[in-house]
Amino acid sequence: MGLFNQTKILAVADGSAIPLSEVEDEAFASGMLGEGFAVKPTSGTIYSPVDGKIEGITETKHAYSIHSDDGLDVLVHIGVDTVKLGGMGFTPAVNEGDTVKAGDVIAMADLGAIRAAGYDTVTPVLISNNDKIPGEKMKMKYGQVRGGVSAVMSWRN
């Protein structure tokens, strides 16, 4: 990583990027699970926020862990309490071990079915190894975003 390299974490869906503190789940909102942001999705296409390798996909297909090329451990968690759906409404587009580029589709989520079942579709994006984030240099950009295109978190290395 050179002097002028910049790390960017992209939006995982079209919609509105919000601070984690606005997620209606204490584990996410408190930052206990990691630093990051969330997206209130308007479409069910879920994109990789970083270049990296798919390290894990939950059995219920609602959460994806990615180890980024920059050494970040990133979790994309589609919805709140959606583990209770048992996989209904989620279709992975990747497999564990796959290499992805930021902006690649990693999953499809049936937002209508998830909401009809009574679950919030807000999608937290968490970095669990917070020590890799230089807090004083980090910038966040909230508001309308395009999945796989808009940078929400960024910092210079």
Side-chain angles (χ1 to χ4, degrees):
M1 290 187 209
L3 182 62
F4 298 108
N5 284 348
Q6 186 169 14
T7 298
K8 295 179 182 179
I9 311 295
L10 301 182
V12 293
D14 293 344
S16 181
I18 61 170
L20 279 180
S21 60
E22 294 181 18
V23 175
E24 293 186 25
D25 180 281
E26 187 58 28
F28 294 121
S30 69
M32 151 186 350
L33 301 174
E35 296 286 331
F37 60 92
V39 175
K40 289 184 173 185
T42 56
S43 74
T45 304
I46 308 298
Y47 302 91
S48 177
V50 294
D51 294 346
K53 182 178 178 183
I54 303 292
E55 293 289 323
I57 301 171
T58 58
E59 190 175 312
T60 53
K61 314 300 184 217
H62 75 286
Y64 298 76
S65 58
I66 305 165
H67 185 74
S68 81
D69 292 349
D70 293 337
L72 301 175
D73 293 321
V74 181
L75 175 69
V76 177
H77 192 284
I78 308 166
V80 174
D81 289 332
T82 49
V83 65
K84 296 174 183 171
L85 291 171
M88 184 207 69
F90 303 102
T91 305
V94 293
N95 295 301
E96 288 183 14
D98 286 356
T99 299
V100 293
K101 292 288 184 193
D104 286 353
V105 175
I106 60 171
M108 297 300 294
D110 184 339
L111 300 182
I114 295 165
R115 289 180 185 130
Y119 296 95
D120 188 348
T121 58
V122 68
T123 301
V125 178
L126 307 166
I127 299 170
S128 59
N129 53 346
N130 297 340
D131 58 316
K132 302 273 186 187
I133 304 171
E136 70 282 355
K137 297 179 185 177
M138 187 173 57
K139 294 181 182 171
M140 303 292 277
K141 182 181 176 242
Y142 301 118
Q144 290 304 116
V145 291
R146 286 189 49 218
V149 176
S150 303
V152 179
M153 291 177 75
S154 63
W155 60 89
R156 289 204 182 279
N157 300 315

